[in-house]
Amino acid sequence: MNIAVVGTGYVGLVTGACFSEFGNHVVCVDNDAEKIATLKRGEMPIYEPGLDALVERNVKAGRLMFTTDLTGAVERALVVFIAVGTPQGNDGRADLSFVHEVARAVAESLNAYKVVVTKSTVPAGTGTTIREIIGKNLKEPHAFSVASNPEFLREGSAIEDFLRPNRVVIGCEDETAAAIMKDLYRPLYLIETPVVVTDVVTAEVIKYASNAFLATKISFINEMADLCEKVGADVHDVARGMGLDQRIGRKFLHPGPGYGGSCFPKDTRAILELARDHDVPLKIVSAVIDVNAGRIATSLAKIKAALGGSFTGKTVGLLGLTFKPNTDDLRESPAMAILDGLVGQGAKVQAYDPIAMPIASQTARENVRYCDDEYQAVTGADALVVATEWNQFRALDVERVRGVMKAAVIVDLRNVYEPDAMRAKGFAYSCVGRS
Ligand code: NAD
């Protein structure tokens, strides 16, 4: 099948590469000429484990191409995916300007029947708007279908998530589009992936509801962590004891500095605003957002307490800057908010991240030194703060760390170390939800 994917970011590039791996002919389109030039040189514009090999293999096989020419790509495709960003607008609602722009451009390029599929995360009703935009902007009368196929991949394990998803959600309004979309995902039937076929608006709601629920689990366990600290309980055991109940599940019950990244923060706000527009108060989602917003202050207070009650004249070695490990994505990263909070309150920061240093250091920040490795970051520091749980931080040479630090203080915001072991090694150690 010939496919065009418009928007070659984290989702579009992975989607395009994986569909080409299924044997389809895929053209990935982006209006960022530099990004397309990078891809044409065989370099990856983002960090995602395994992506470079997947792209290289399919480009060599002639199944995957990159272009800025939307018209050419759309003309040859039967299915056109819209995978552009839907960032948070100033009013908290999803900014759909990129999606609408692409819908207009697709309409103007329509030369035969096509299925236009939204992969971007969009509010309920966007499919209807896309249908209207395409209908109004067609240059020639052609039939088309609008579909929704929300993406659930996680950065850091995006390829595995795409190739082995828990489920595929397809929202369609007609049998033709449903048949084409099912055909596209046929390779996943072999591994018995459940396919949920709904109408378009239901598929749109499934995506937001899923992200809101996952964010709820995170805010919930963070509040339990606060309670555990006060009553002397261990939040890890609480999470395990809860999570083994299959009605609850073990995933997303890890306490820390709150959720971040390019999805949960904007998607929880967008569903809240969407519901408000329809006079539906989403009290739980509202509380989830409030709890999450408070995590940065809670984390900074924990670091301040570990430093003896003041940031003045103190140096913090900050390990991890991305919102989670195995990505270079700094969007809405709690680690970056903590970094800004530390310098804003008078501390100096020596920061290190295994992947994101080139991106982070593009922004010069006063009193922030970007370091070459974790040991340089903690040299002369009054405290080591783990902000992102990269694997390499789990196996630090703690003797070496203690030897180079000014004071043996660790604030483990991701609970990667064993409290007793760290204290036995002479560190003043604090973490989240474990006394
Ligand atoms: P991104 O910012 O990485 O990529 C978007 C791309 O679209 C950019 O390369 C941009 O240049 C391009 N673009 C914008 N306007 C364009 C236009 N008119 N023509 C061609 N290209 C255009 O975004 P992303 O993280 O890949 O997210 C895309 C969508 O997928 C969002 O709606 C997001 O919420 C959703 N999503 C993201 C993830 C994730 O983990 N990143 C997971 C699931 C869903």
Side-chain angles (χ1 to χ4, degrees):
M1 199 181 294
N2 286 341
I3 299 170
V5 181
V6 186
T8 308
Y10 287 87
V11 166
L13 182 53
V14 171
T15 299
C18 289
F19 276 137
S20 65
E21 181 76 0
F22 288 166
N24 300 291
H25 284 90
V26 181
V27 181
C28 286
V29 184
D30 208 286
N31 61 359
D32 180 341
E34 207 179 307
K35 190 175 265 191
I36 293 300
T38 303
L39 284 158
K40 281 185 167 171
R41 284 197 303 273
E43 295 164 23
M44 292 303 106
I46 55 167
Y47 175 78
E48 182 60 45
L51 187 60
D52 44 2
L54 186 72
V55 168
E56 189 188 346
R57 183 164 64 244
N58 285 288
V59 167
K60 268 195 187 145
R63 290 190 297 259
L64 181 60
M65 287 168 57
F66 303 102
T67 185
T68 53
D69 173 20
L70 181 140
T71 301
V74 169
E75 279 177 356
R76 282 189 293 275
L78 172 62
V79 181
V80 180
F81 282 95
I82 302 177
V84 294
T86 48
Q88 191 189 322
N90 292 335
D91 56 4
R93 291 178 179 80
D95 174 355
L96 296 175
S97 52
F98 301 120
V99 172
H100 293 170
E101 188 185 323
V102 172
R104 266 190 300 276
V106 169
E108 287 167 7
S109 309
L110 220 72
N111 58 341
Y113 171 81
K114 310 201 184 275
V115 188
V116 182
V117 190
T118 315
K119 212 169 222 333
S120 302
T121 303
V122 293
T126 305
T128 307
T129 311
I130 290 176
R131 166 172 287 287
E132 285 166 8
I133 293 175
I134 297 178
K136 272 188 209 150
N137 289 279
L138 284 174
K139 288 209 167 140
E140 303 161 9
H142 290 292
F144 65 92
S145 300
V146 168
S148 166
N149 174 218
E151 184 47 59
F152 299 95
L153 62 76
R154 297 161 298 174
E155 288 173 20
S157 54
I159 293 166
E160 176 69 11
D161 289 348
F162 195 97
L163 296 176
R164 297 181 179 279
N166 290 165
R167 81 308 205 178
V168 170
V169 174
I170 296 173
C172 285
E173 304 294 0
D174 60 84
E175 289 301 320
T176 312
I180 291 170
M181 291 302 291
K182 281 192 210 160
D183 198 29
L184 197 50
Y185 279 104
R186 190 172 302 280
L188 296 185
Y189 294 180
L190 298 173
I191 53 168
E192 297 182 0
T193 305
V195 177
V196 181
V197 181
T198 69
D199 54 29
V200 170
V201 71
T202 304
E204 290 167 343
V205 174
I206 289 173
K207 173 63 190 177
Y208 274 121
S210 301
N211 275 4
F213 191 77
L214 292 171
T216 302
K217 286 187 92 172
I218 296 172
S219 280
F220 182 88
I221 202 66
N222 278 333
E223 285 203 314
M224 290 305 122
D226 290 347
L227 179 64
C228 285
E229 284 179 16
K230 295 288 181 206
V231 300
D234 183 322
V235 72
H236 277 205
D237 290 339
V238 170
R240 191 168 134 75
M242 286 169 60
L244 284 167
D245 183 332
Q246 289 180 6
R247 293 171 302 176
I248 297 173
R250 292 176 68 170
K251 300 216 167 127
F252 279 76
L253 290 178
H254 304 285
Y259 59 77
S262 67
C263 291
F264 289 177
K266 78 170 173 65
D267 292 348
T268 45
R269 285 176 212 136
I271 194 175
L272 192 64
E273 294 305 327
L274 174 80
R276 272 196 193 129
D277 289 345
H278 292 272
D279 290 326
V280 180
L282 295 189
K283 292 181 197 162
I284 294 175
V285 179
S286 180
V288 164
I289 294 170
D290 285 350
V291 169
N292 197 60
R295 294 313 290 176
I296 300 302
T298 306
S299 303
L300 287 168
K302 206 179 272 287
I303 300 168
K304 190 173 179 181
L307 287 169
S310 170
F311 287 117
T312 311
K314 298 287 168 54
T315 299
V316 172
L318 188 67
L319 302 191
L321 294 176
T322 51
F323 80 99
K324 62 191 268 192
N326 294 323
T327 180
D328 58 355
D329 201 343
L330 294 173
R331 290 179 284 186
E332 301 245 10
S333 168
M336 293 304 288
I338 287 167
L339 181 148
D340 287 335
L342 287 170
V343 289
Q345 293 188 39
K348 288 189 173 146
V349 175
Q350 299 177 164
Y352 173 69
D353 186 278
I355 287 289
M357 297 314 284
I359 304 171
S361 57
Q362 277 169 12
T363 312
R365 288 178 168 83
E366 218 175 312
N367 290 325
V368 177
R369 181 177 161 216
Y370 296 106
C371 298
D372 295 336
D373 62 30
E374 48 274 68
Y375 298 102
Q376 191 182 55
V378 299
T379 299
D382 297 280
L384 177 166
V385 174
V386 180
T388 314
E389 67 278 33
W390 285 90
N391 266 342
Q392 71 189 66
F393 302 151
R394 294 177 193 273
L396 281 184
D397 178 346
V398 282
E399 302 295 337
R400 184 175 164 196
V401 166
R402 209 185 46 200
V404 296
M405 287 184 74
K406 193 161 156 199
V409 174
I410 292 181
V411 183
D412 182 357
L413 297 175
R414 297 289 185 173
N415 289 357
V416 297
Y417 305 122
E418 276 311 311
D420 288 345
M422 282 300 160
R423 287 176 193 135
K425 290 193 160 82
F427 285 95
Y429 175 82
S430 46
C431 50
V432 184
R434 296 185 293 177
S435 54

